[in-house]
Amino acid sequence: MTDLKIIKAKKKFRALWVYAQDGNARVKERFWRAEDVAYATCETCGGSTIQIVQLV
């Protein structure tokens, strides 16, 4: 694996944003999955927001 450097990680618009440098495809896939999970997780209770998103 190459040297991975996290440039920035932040929360914006109910989503996790990770900016990284020198990650391989496996690392990038894990970041994308984490971003998807964060987007579908309630910030207050930690529960799923999938039902809420589908209703809107």
Side-chain angles (χ1 to χ4, degrees):
M1 185 168 103
T2 61
D3 293 327
L4 176 65
K5 181 177 179 182
I6 303 297
I7 306 298
K8 184 190 293 187
K10 66 180 182 177
K11 179 182 75 167
K12 184 175 180 181
F13 303 118
R14 249 187 52 210
L16 172 68
W17 296 73
V18 179
Y19 301 91
Q21 182 178 354
D22 295 333
N24 61 22
R26 184 176 172 198
V27 171
K28 290 177 185 178
E29 175 67 28
R30 288 185 183 227
F31 284 149
W32 294 332
R33 286 184 189 177
E35 290 169 355
D36 289 343
V37 169
Y39 187 75
T41 303
C42 176
E43 294 179 14
T44 304
C45 70
S48 175
T49 61
I50 297 300
Q51 295 87 4
I52 297 169
V53 172
Q54 290 176 346
L55 290 175
V56 174

